[in-house]
Amino acid sequence: MWHETVGTIITNEQLTAEDYLMELHCKDIATNAKPGQFVNVACTSGLDPLLRRPISIHQVDKVKGTISLLFKAVGKGTKLLTAKANEQAVKLTGPLGKGFHIPSGEKTLVVGGGMGVAPLYFLINQLCDAGNDVTVVLGVKDGTWQPICNLFENRNCSLYFASEDGSIGQKGLVTDVVKEIIEKESITHLYTCGPEPMMKNVVLLAEGKNIKTQVSMERTMACGVGACLGCTCEKKAGDQVVFKRVCTDGPVFSGDEVIWNG
């Protein structure tokens, strides 16, 4: 159940030229959040911009009642968020959407690309807490992503990186690393978030190998609560094609049900 609430900024740290990590005290959302869900954040107390910005929940500390948001400052709304100071109040709606299913005692693979890594830290921690054997593969562009990669170090998992120029981890595509792991390991559950072509290829690599896949879809959202129908994606329903709202029916879907573009 989502709530309209107010969070208080604890820290708002700049990690790269465009990327920020904001930690807020927001007990209502921290108590109810699941990996893969998101919040709608009011960027200003005024009407410009009017719409809130959907941001994935990066991490939760239920004991402290805090949540962390990893976001990229790419437009007017998110750039306004970068200027917010410690102890400043921020209006939030959440937790929103359908999150990842967490098994126990399984061999799991988590794959992220670009800013698709944002919701995966919370997921990784929950998978580890549930006693799963966790392998993580993260794909980034170049060495400027190192501060974000550092966030994932020291987790209780096997961690691999891939970058386009080889400055972080293996040079090449994240799917190259994923293919090697799937061929060598008996993966039972695969989770992925990132650019749609990457997720499509990751799901295809798992096809026919008895691996349950879950994907977190990205769409431009207006309301975030299923009213505007502006964030739909196509999904298989038997022999039919149905349109699902990413904000409420997702953002997490079974990988073998999604109809991929291109």
Side-chain angles (χ1 to χ4, degrees):
M1 181 63 184
W2 59 269
H3 300 272
E4 170 74 28
T5 189
V6 176
T8 303
I9 296 175
I10 301 172
T11 58
N12 192 11
E13 179 185 2
Q14 183 173 7
L15 299 179
T16 73
E18 295 183 326
D19 302 303
Y20 289 75
L21 181 64
M22 178 185 289
E23 184 181 13
L24 306 100
H25 185 268
C26 190
K27 189 174 181 180
D28 287 347
I29 293 177
T31 299
N32 296 289
K34 297 178 181 179
Q37 292 185 302
F38 64 97
V39 291
N40 253 6
V41 185
C43 303
T44 177
S45 58
L47 298 178
D48 184 22
L50 176 63
L51 298 176
R52 299 186 178 194
R53 295 300 185 264
I55 301 178
S56 299
I57 299 173
H58 175 67
Q59 176 58 325
V60 165
D61 188 322
K62 294 183 184 293
V63 175
K64 295 181 179 178
T66 62
I67 65 171
S68 296
L69 308 177
L70 177 62
F71 66 96
K72 185 178 290 291
V74 293
K76 184 173 184 178
T78 46
K79 287 179 180 177
L80 285 171
L81 288 180
T82 67
K84 292 191 178 294
N86 295 355
E87 300 186 5
Q88 191 168 351
V90 178
K91 291 183 179 180
L92 305 165
T93 306
L96 298 170
K98 173 187 170 186
F100 292 104
H101 168 70
I102 307 294
S104 60
E106 298 289 339
K107 200 167 185 64
T108 61
L109 177 60
V110 179
V111 184
M115 282 308 291
V117 306
L120 299 182
Y121 187 93
F122 187 14
L123 170 65
I124 293 164
N125 285 342
Q126 292 288 294
L127 287 171
C128 291
D129 289 347
N132 295 287
D133 182 347
V134 183
T135 299
V136 180
V137 185
L138 303 179
V140 297
K141 183 177 181 180
D142 53 38
T144 62
W145 285 74
Q146 190 63 61
I148 295 176
C149 293
N150 291 343
L151 297 174
F152 292 83
E153 297 286 358
N154 302 318
R155 297 297 93 198
N156 187 25
C157 62
S158 300
L159 180 60
Y160 301 89
F161 294 104
S163 58
E164 294 179 15
D165 62 0
S167 56
I168 300 178
Q170 179 175 314
K171 183 177 181 179
L173 300 176
V174 67
T175 47
D176 296 333
V177 183
V178 171
K179 183 178 180 180
E180 292 177 11
I181 292 172
I182 288 178
E183 289 176 349
K184 294 178 181 179
E185 305 289 342
S186 300
I187 302 298
T188 59
H189 291 70
L190 187 151
Y191 306 83
T192 184
C193 184
E196 198 160 306
M198 182 209 78
M199 292 196 294
K200 174 184 177 180
N201 288 329
V202 167
V203 171
L204 287 175
L205 287 172
E207 201 170 66
K209 295 180 171 61
N210 199 30
I211 299 174
K212 295 180 180 178
T213 58
Q214 296 179 54
V215 302
S216 179
M217 302 296 291
E218 296 181 348
R219 288 290 187 275
T220 300
M221 297 181 188
C223 71
V225 294
C228 69
L229 303 179
C231 63
T232 57
C233 71
E234 292 179 296
K235 184 180 174 184
K236 303 171 190 174
D239 296 330
Q240 304 297 316
V241 175
V242 296
F243 289 90
K244 292 293 184 178
R245 297 164 295 183
V246 171
C247 65
T248 53
D249 299 313
V252 176
F253 297 93
S254 174
D256 59 1
E257 295 177 338
V258 173
I259 297 176
W260 302 98
N261 294 323

